[in-house]
Amino acid sequence: MPEAAAGWRGRWQGTRQRLGQSLRWRLMALFVLLAVATVVVFLSGMQQSMRGGGWRELARPLVAHYLDLAAADLGTPPSIDKARQMVQRLPLRIQIDGPQVHWDSHPERAARARRHGRDDDGAEWQSRMTADGHRVTFRLVPLPHERRARGIGWATLALLLLLVALAWRGVSSLLRPIEGIRAGVQRYGQGDFSQPIAVQRQDELGQLAGQVNTMAADLQRMLEAQRGLLLAISHELRSPLTRARVNAELVEDGEARDALLRDLGEMRDLISDLLDSERLTAGHAALQTEPTDLAALLREVAADDAGQPPLQLDLAAELPLLPVDRSRLRLLLRNLIGNARRHAAGTAVVLGLQREGEALALTVRDHGPGVNDEQLARLAEPFYRTDSARQRRTGGVGLGLYLCRLVAQAHGGQLHIERAEPGLCVKALLPLH
């Protein structure tokens, strides 16, 4: 029960937070409050105006005198026939209780009051005593126009609510382009510029949608120019880099030669990673997929791996084939395993494959010291390294996890990085369809 109550409180707080952040729901609440306030003010004003002027106080002595005359006119003992005639002429309910006469002009009202646990029907009343001990009670009966007034009040309330609903529908129509702008901004933020925001109207929101489209087109041109420049530079660097490596091979053996070859190898890997990252931004267009047994692929990678410590496999049985690009998956695994070994501090690295719902989860986990929250949120960013002061030969250039994320996204999946306590667990979710 406490867990259920806590769950309800959490859901209620989440709903309240979402409503508080929604312009649509705040406007609706404003309209409802406006309608309720209008009805309350209207009814209160009408009630006060009907009660104003002191008419009740002015009429009270006249009514009392008239009831004295009416009681006397009924006679002693009170006449039921005269009482019936009086009820037919006037909006009255007459009750007679005494030693000889017991009569009620409206017995159904008394029965209804008893069903509701009341002694009377709530109408205003006065009573008179006759000389022979009979008590005559006079009560006002609502007139037909009073019942119509109540109906008019409810109809007024319904009309006000209808007007609020119509106003809300109009406001929703006015704000509908905001949904399209929000969805378009999300697409642009994810790098998808294929579908511009539809300009539905020529008002301020339509102008805003057009301006956002213009900004997105400028961003797309800038990114394409940047990618083109990066690809051109990377391609142009490969030829002189290859010549430099060939010339370095001719240098006599020694520490200087080893350092030069190592630096040239890092430059080669950096250029390859840059080219791969730009190709993978094209998504499925960069893939050459074929049905693949991922468990067998992971066993092949583990068998070919000569690093230390050796990999530990945790593979589920009877997993379905998955259409993947084998070379890209090998790139992903190589980067994940290398990254895990750099941070594992000699501890075990576990390579796993499990089914999670409608996806296969490929995981690489180390048991190293891990990272803090700020570093965890940025690990898959390009050129980000947890320790900017360390040397690249020990920490890489910061493209490994970024490339892994691109490979997972190109296959329609996602890359998640989580703390495993101890260490880190990097999970690539690859959808089954």
Side-chain angles (χ1 to χ4, degrees):
M1 292 298 292
E3 292 80 1
W8 277 108
R9 283 196 298 269
R11 285 191 289 272
W12 164 245
Q13 291 175 356
T15 302
R16 187 172 61 180
Q17 183 178 4
R18 286 193 297 273
L19 292 181
Q21 296 173 351
S22 171
L23 178 61
R24 182 186 300 272
W25 285 105
R26 289 205 299 270
L27 284 174
M28 184 174 183
L30 179 62
F31 277 118
V32 171
L33 290 176
L34 179 62
V36 172
T38 303
V39 171
V40 171
V41 171
F42 173 76
L43 294 180
S44 299
M46 291 299 295
Q47 189 176 19
Q48 292 299 325
S49 66
M50 294 299 293
R51 290 180 176 178
W55 294 108
R56 286 179 177 270
E57 298 301 324
L58 290 175
R60 192 176 298 277
L62 297 177
V63 172
H65 178 66
Y66 180 81
L67 293 180
D68 291 339
L69 295 177
D73 186 56
L74 292 177
T76 304
S79 171
I80 295 178
D81 291 336
K82 290 183 177 181
R84 285 198 181 98
Q85 294 174 6
M86 193 177 296
V87 167
Q88 291 174 357
R89 296 194 311 269
L90 300 172
L92 292 175
R93 173 188 172 192
I94 299 178
Q95 291 175 277
I96 303 174
D97 296 293
Q100 299 181 35
V101 181
H102 292 280
W103 181 78
D104 188 344
S105 62
H106 295 74
E108 72 283 355
R109 298 180 68 89
R112 186 163 58 246
R114 285 193 298 270
R115 284 197 303 269
H116 290 84
R118 300 195 303 264
D119 295 333
D120 56 65
D121 59 1
E124 194 170 336
W125 60 276
Q126 291 190 21
S127 61
R128 297 291 184 270
M129 296 297 297
T130 62
D132 59 353
H134 286 81
R135 184 183 185 88
V136 181
T137 302
F138 299 92
R139 300 176 188 271
L140 290 175
V141 176
L143 294 173
H145 74 271
E146 292 179 346
R147 289 191 290 271
R148 287 196 301 272
R150 293 195 191 96
I152 292 173
W154 286 110
T156 302
L157 176 60
L159 180 60
L160 286 172
L161 293 178
L162 177 61
L163 292 175
V164 169
L166 293 176
W168 167 245
R169 184 173 181 179
V171 170
S172 297
S173 177
L174 290 175
L175 296 179
R176 190 172 296 119
I178 293 180
E179 294 295 327
I181 295 174
R182 180 185 61 81
V185 170
Q186 287 181 344
R187 291 195 304 272
Y188 296 155
Q190 296 170 357
D192 180 9
F193 298 95
S194 60
Q195 180 182 354
I197 300 172
V199 180
Q200 301 176 0
R201 295 199 302 264
Q202 299 302 318
D203 56 8
E204 290 82 353
L205 290 178
Q207 295 173 7
L208 176 61
Q211 292 169 357
V212 173
N213 285 335
T214 301
M215 179 190 68
D218 294 340
L219 285 175
Q220 184 180 15
R221 285 193 295 269
M222 182 181 67
L223 290 174
E224 288 177 351
Q226 179 184 3
R227 288 172 182 162
L229 178 62
L230 184 60
L231 287 172
I233 293 175
S234 300
H235 279 293
E236 292 299 324
L237 283 176
R238 276 191 162 182
S239 295
L241 181 62
T242 302
R243 291 194 298 269
R245 186 172 182 84
V246 170
N247 292 329
E249 294 286 351
L250 302 176
V251 177
E252 295 182 1
D253 291 341
E255 185 176 345
R257 178 179 180 273
D258 294 340
L260 180 58
L261 289 174
R262 182 172 59 249
D263 291 340
L264 290 173
E266 289 182 5
M267 292 178 63
R268 179 199 59 207
D269 294 340
L270 173 59
I271 292 173
S272 297
D273 288 346
L274 287 173
L275 291 173
D276 284 334
S277 66
E278 291 306 316
R279 293 190 188 102
L280 285 169
T281 54
H284 294 281
L287 301 181
Q288 296 179 358
T289 62
E290 58 180 303
T292 302
D293 184 348
L294 287 188
L297 179 62
L298 266 61
R299 292 189 187 96
E300 292 176 11
V301 170
D304 296 339
D305 182 76
Q308 294 296 325
L311 298 175
Q312 297 180 9
L313 296 181
D314 180 17
L315 309 179
E318 298 181 359
L319 294 176
L321 299 181
L322 200 64
V324 298
D325 187 321
R326 293 176 62 90
S327 62
R328 299 299 183 188
L329 258 294
R330 283 183 176 274
L331 171 65
L332 179 144
L333 289 169
R334 184 175 67 249
N335 285 333
L336 289 184
I337 293 171
N339 184 76
R341 282 209 173 104
R342 279 196 298 271
H343 300 88
T347 59
V349 174
V350 181
L351 185 60
L353 183 65
Q354 305 291 332
R355 180 164 184 166
E356 291 189 7
E358 295 300 319
L360 294 184
L362 191 159
T363 59
V364 177
R365 182 200 168 170
D366 65 70
H367 294 76
V371 296
N372 58 37
D373 290 338
E374 181 181 357
Q375 294 170 337
L376 183 67
R378 302 188 59 190
L379 282 180
E381 294 181 3
F383 301 106
Y384 175 76
R385 293 181 297 158
T386 56
D387 184 1
S388 59
R390 74 183 174 204
Q391 299 178 358
R392 287 187 175 180
R393 65 184 179 86
T394 59
V397 296
L399 281 176
L401 289 177
Y402 173 64
L403 279 173
C404 294
R405 187 182 71 180
L406 292 179
V407 170
Q409 290 176 347
H411 285 84
Q414 295 178 332
L415 189 77
H416 298 288
I417 306 175
E418 306 166 351
R419 279 200 295 266
E421 302 297 340
L424 284 178
C425 179
V426 183
K427 178 188 300 183
L429 288 175
L430 305 176
L432 292 172
H433 50 78

